[in-house]
Amino acid sequence: LYHVLLTEMYSSVLKRGWLSLGCCGATSRAIHLSSAALLNKTVLYDFHVNNGGKMVPYAGYSMPVSYDKVGVAASHKHVRSACGLFDVSHMLQTRVHGPDRHKFLESLTVADVTALKPDTGCLTLFTNEDGGIIDDLIVTSTSQDYLYVVSNAGCRAKDLALLQQQVKRFTDSGSKVELEVRDCDALIALQGPQAAAVLQAACSEELSSLMFMSSVQCSVAGVEGCRVTRCGYTGEDGFEISIPNDKAVSVCEALLSSKTAEVQPAGLAARDSLRLEAGLCLYGNDITEQTTPVQAALAWTIAKTRRTEGAFPGSKVILRELKQKAAVRRVGLVSSGPPARPPSQVVDQDGKLLGQVCSGCPSPSLGINVAMAYLPLSHVKAGTTVSIRVRDKLVPATVTKMPFIKSNYYTGK
């Protein structure tokens, strides 16, 4: 399960030449790291080390891939059954201010930002003029008159450049919008079926009325000014909590010492297998600037009004694919035997190349192998049989619907 070190979590790192990785059996090691001093550290770095975190480079940061006392599979299962705590402070947090803030983000994404009710958000996509996905992000319209945006650490430089360039265009044209980068805040994710009970014991707000993709500013473990958003990357109920940097460690320690349920720190390896079971995309592997929302099975992120009006980057390409269908689509695959890793080839019954695996791992929850791949429309129907070439052997696989496990997002029902 240290597959995360091979391809899944570090594709963006590998592409930038920061790290090369090797694997032998169940262990992986980092090689060719030019200088550890070049890595950024989140404010929780010492917290991870003190709790037995095995630190590895990811997206320019030193992050915990796992913890000494808990194996990756056990950590994964603990999140599914109880509660896990992740550090996601490497993610880019920004705020967009000004009366034209909704129009501003709609000029870059496929979302209907204007329609968002106060303190609710949505998953959306930055797209380019060719319809490709620049990044996936969460936009929340707050009741404090700003938009709160969380985007990927591996895309930080290009996302910031995109946002700053668009701010200049808007202000040059007389529109009023300002961008605030929130490097002063840490970000953690509390995930699992016991997450709500754990957080409720430490939170000043009633969480039963906070639905999936809703957000509130409140105090957590006595720390004022935290933003709690009911969302996450595991398919379980959970929360992302933005905390002032100087209070992040104390909040994490309070959550870990919860008497409500056992909370364990969790690393990148468990986060990766959890998100794959939930059918969620990893930027750089499953979605890139060469994949469109329609191809990626993310057409549901394109708001109804945007489908009618267009006027977002790549809208001509994307709206045409919505009407005429894209040539390929992201699908789920299940198999047994040796697990498929990217970029394993997917072939038909005659050995003809269909595509390649973009994510894959053994599923700790299901006891089988799960993967995702882009396949032609002739092979995307659930139940279709294909083969995956794993170490020069053909492994039978079956196309299946995603998510691979039932999602448990909280909707109040």
Side-chain angles (χ1 to χ4, degrees):
L1 284 173
Y2 273 82
H3 67 282
V4 64
L5 291 173
L6 291 174
T7 52
E8 289 293 292
M9 295 301 291
Y10 303 117
S11 60
S12 62
V13 178
L14 294 171
K15 290 174 183 176
R16 289 165 173 77
W18 294 336
L19 179 67
S20 295
L21 299 166
C23 177
C24 180
T27 64
S28 299
R29 63 185 183 277
I31 59 174
H32 187 57
L33 179 61
S34 58
S35 173
L38 296 176
L39 293 173
N40 295 306
K41 296 179 180 179
T42 74
V43 295
L44 294 171
Y45 176 87
D46 290 337
F47 169 84
H48 299 310
V49 173
N50 293 337
N51 281 279
K54 297 179 180 179
M55 310 304 289
V56 298
Y58 175 61
Y61 284 80
S62 181
M63 298 294 291
V65 68
S66 62
Y67 291 83
D68 289 337
K69 296 181 180 179
V70 185
V72 175
S75 179
H76 175 115
K77 291 178 180 179
H78 187 79
V79 174
R80 288 272 182 253
S81 63
C83 188
L85 180 68
F86 300 85
D87 179 13
V88 289
S89 302
H90 58 314
M91 304 283 277
L92 175 62
Q93 299 180 77
T94 55
R95 293 179 180 180
V96 183
H97 303 268
D100 295 313
R101 61 188 182 278
H102 302 93
K103 181 181 177 182
F104 169 79
L105 269 183
E106 287 178 357
S107 72
L108 296 173
T109 70
V110 299
D112 185 352
V113 182
T114 304
L116 290 174
K117 296 179 180 179
D119 292 323
T120 65
C122 66
L123 175 71
T124 188
L125 309 168
F126 286 137
T127 49
N128 61 30
E129 293 300 332
D130 295 322
I133 301 171
I134 297 173
D135 198 8
D136 58 322
L137 60 148
I138 290 179
V139 176
T140 300
S141 181
T142 74
S143 55
Q144 285 76 37
D145 293 330
Y146 62 82
L147 299 174
Y148 171 56
V149 181
V150 178
S151 55
N152 287 306
C155 298
R156 182 186 183 94
K158 69 175 182 178
D159 286 355
L160 268 179
L162 179 69
L163 289 164
Q164 290 167 346
Q165 289 167 6
Q166 194 70 344
V167 165
K168 186 177 186 306
R169 292 190 191 100
F170 262 60
T171 55
D172 286 350
S173 67
S175 297
K176 295 182 179 180
V177 63
E178 296 179 6
L179 180 68
E180 177 189 4
V181 179
R182 297 293 295 182
D183 286 336
C184 56
D185 294 331
L187 189 65
I188 61 174
L190 191 68
Q191 298 283 292
Q194 295 298 318
V198 169
L199 184 57
Q200 185 64 81
C203 184
S204 63
E205 292 291 321
E206 176 54 54
L207 298 178
S208 62
S209 59
L210 193 70
M211 303 297 133
F212 179 61
M213 295 306 293
S214 295
S215 182
V216 65
Q217 189 160 313
C218 58
S219 68
V220 178
V223 176
E224 299 289 343
C226 296
R227 176 158 293 279
V228 172
T229 305
R230 200 159 200 159
C231 66
Y233 198 51
T234 63
E236 297 295 334
D237 183 24
F239 306 85
E240 289 189 354
I241 311 167
S242 184
I243 313 163
N245 278 337
D246 61 346
K247 302 296 184 181
V249 172
S250 66
V251 171
C252 288
E253 288 176 343
L255 294 174
L256 281 188
S257 62
S258 171
K259 296 180 180 179
T260 304
E262 182 185 1
V263 181
Q264 293 181 354
L268 294 174
R271 183 171 169 84
D272 188 52
S273 53
L274 287 159
R275 70 91 191 166
L276 180 50
E277 285 185 349
L280 301 173
C281 293
L282 174 65
Y283 193 87
N285 279 46
D286 310 306
I287 49 177
T288 69
E289 292 193 37
Q290 284 69 53
T291 54
T292 69
V294 182
Q295 294 168 353
L298 294 173
W300 58 269
T301 65
I302 307 169
K304 184 178 180 180
T305 54
R306 310 310 303 277
R307 297 183 186 213
T308 302
E309 300 169 0
F312 57 85
S315 58
K316 290 183 179 180
V317 174
I318 294 169
L319 296 181
R320 183 174 65 246
E321 284 190 343
L322 281 173
K323 292 180 180 179
Q324 301 177 0
K325 296 186 178 181
V328 298
R329 192 167 74 223
R330 178 175 62 94
V331 299
L333 297 170
V334 295
S335 65
S336 57
R341 315 289 192 194
S344 299
Q345 293 182 339
V346 182
V347 300
D348 66 13
Q349 299 305 303
D350 297 322
K352 180 182 177 182
L353 179 65
L354 297 172
Q356 64 183 36
V357 170
C358 49
S359 283
C361 73
S363 165
S365 302
L366 301 175
I368 57 175
N369 303 319
V370 295
M372 295 192 293
Y374 282 83
L375 299 183
L377 293 185
S378 58
H379 286 74
V380 299
K381 185 178 180 180
T384 301
T385 300
V386 295
S387 295
I388 306 174
R389 196 177 301 279
V390 182
R391 295 193 292 274
D392 295 325
K393 293 183 179 180
L394 291 180
V395 176
T398 303
V399 175
T400 187
K401 293 181 179 180
M402 293 187 287
F404 298 102
I405 63 165
K406 178 181 178 294
S407 296
N408 293 309
Y409 303 126
Y410 180 73
T411 60
K413 298 179 181 179

